[in-house]
């Protein structure tokens, strides 16, 4: 019985330890890279790192902010995201996702990822 409790506790601890931060506060002067620079430098854990996927970004704050997609320093796409809006952004392998703040005040965002499923 003690072993079952110990193993269950260990599994729960490992699950909570490995879960990624998904909500972020963006200060007016702070641009945040979410993915693309490799493990240890990403603000979120992308379970689809190294392959094409979607980033689901939601504005959970009161101010507009921007999403920026880059590859090797070249801006591919910039998208404004309004209050309560959700954007689904395609991230190809090698793309970097940035959240750029609103210079007028704090913005809040939620970031998640989704596998690209090809329809047949």
């Amino acid at each position: 019985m003690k072993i079952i409790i110990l193993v269950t506790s260990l599994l729960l601890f490992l699950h909570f330890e490995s879960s990624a931060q998904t909500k972020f506060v963006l200060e007016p002067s702070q641009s945040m890279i979410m993915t693309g620079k490799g493990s240890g430098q990403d603000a979120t854990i992308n379970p689809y790192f190294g392959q094409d996927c979607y980033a689901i970004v939601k504005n959970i704050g009161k101010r507009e902010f921007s999403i920026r997609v880059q590859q090797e320093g070249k801006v591919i796409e910039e998208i404004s995201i309004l209050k309560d809006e959700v954007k689904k952004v395609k991230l190809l392998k090698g793309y970097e996702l940035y959240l750029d703040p609103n210079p007028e005040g704090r913005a809040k965002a939620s970031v998640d990822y989704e596998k690209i499923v090809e329809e047949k």
Side-chain angles (χ1 to χ4, degrees):
M1 185 64 172
K2 289 181 181 180
I3 292 175
I4 293 173
I5 293 171
L6 181 63
V7 169
T8 303
S9 298
L10 182 60
L11 289 174
L12 286 173
F13 173 75
L14 289 174
H15 171 73
F16 289 123
E17 190 66 26
S18 66
S19 61
Q21 180 180 356
T22 59
K23 296 180 181 176
F24 302 90
V25 175
L26 302 166
E27 297 295 334
S29 62
Q30 175 187 32
S31 183
M32 294 182 82
I33 182 166
M34 294 288 113
T35 64
K37 294 290 187 184
S39 63
Q41 295 190 16
D42 298 336
T44 59
I45 296 173
N46 180 351
Y48 309 107
F49 180 75
Q51 56 186 307
D52 299 347
C53 68
Y54 291 109
I56 293 46
V57 182
K58 182 175 182 182
N59 185 338
I60 57 174
K62 297 178 181 176
R63 288 190 170 82
E64 177 181 355
F65 64 90
S66 298
I67 303 166
R68 179 170 30 108
V69 178
Q70 288 188 194
Q71 183 178 32
E72 297 177 1
K74 180 182 174 193
V75 176
I76 306 296
E77 184 176 19
E78 287 185 88
I79 304 164
S80 292
I81 182 165
L82 303 172
K83 176 184 169 188
D84 295 325
E85 192 173 24
V86 177
K87 295 286 186 174
K88 189 173 184 177
V89 181
K90 191 171 192 176
L91 294 179
L92 300 178
K93 182 179 177 180
Y95 278 16
E96 303 163 359
L97 175 69
Y98 291 83
L99 300 184
D100 295 323
N102 185 321
E104 297 173 11
R106 284 185 177 165
K108 294 181 183 177
S110 171
V111 180
D112 201 4
Y113 301 93
E114 185 178 289
K115 184 175 184 174
I116 295 177
V117 180
E118 294 183 26
E119 296 181 25
K120 294 182 180 184

